[in-house]
Amino acid sequence: MFEKLIDKMKLETAEAHCDAPCGVYDPAQARVEAESVLQLTKKILDLKRPEGDDAKAHAAYQNTLTRYIAIKEERAEMAKHHLVVLWTDYFKPQHLEKYPELHDLFWKAAKACSACKQEVSLEHAQELMDYCKRIHEIFWETKGKDVPWYTAS
């Protein structure tokens, strides 16, 4: 009965490639967080432990180190969140047909976020930036736009 009604109404099927209006998704959010991870990793590695017995200097060092680590881990988690949202909500099967490396790329990017939380590694932080750059390129290609990759630092 419903099929006959639908046939008589001649309804057209509407399709959307994402779960919200276009323009909501942007890989720049992940890039900003990944770049923060990279810069904080550099700051942690450059931070000099004070010499001697100056308790205030040691406390200041520990405070700064702790803050850098906390922010680095928070930003790595935020980068992972933004990447996973792009992966699961924006990209669709037709994108996988054109870019078969998408699942592996996002998986590696998410793993790099975890590695950046677990370690103080310039190598992993740079890998995360590289993954974000490739995701940026693919994302904008799917929209038919040439949006340049840039970093703040």
Side-chain angles (χ1 to χ4, degrees), residues 110-141:
K111 288 294 190 182
C113 290
S114 294
C116 288
K117 291 191 305 182
Q118 295 166 352
E119 304 169 10
V120 181
S121 167
L122 277 177
E123 179 183 345
H124 288 134
Q126 187 58 57
E127 285 174 352
L128 176 57
M129 286 296 292
D130 294 343
Y131 293 135
C132 286
K133 181 179 182 184
R134 182 62 186 135
I135 289 166
H136 164 95
E137 293 165 351
I138 292 172
F139 176 87
W140 290 111
E141 284 176 19

Side-chain angles (χ1 to χ4, degrees), residues 99-117:
Y99 305 98
E101 76 272 22
L102 268 178
H103 282 319
D104 191 54
L105 178 62
F106 275 102
W107 183 79
K108 287 178 180 176
K111 288 294 190 182
C113 290
S114 294
C116 288
K117 291 191 305 182

Side-chain angles (χ1 to χ4, degrees), residues 2 20 41 54 73 128:
F2 286 116
T41 299
D54 183 347
E73 293 202 8
L128 176 57

Side-chain angles (χ1 to χ4, degrees), residues 18 40 51 90 96 100-101 112 132 137:
C18 54
L40 283 158
E51 295 181 16
Y90 175 76
L96 281 171
E101 76 272 22
C132 286
E137 293 165 351

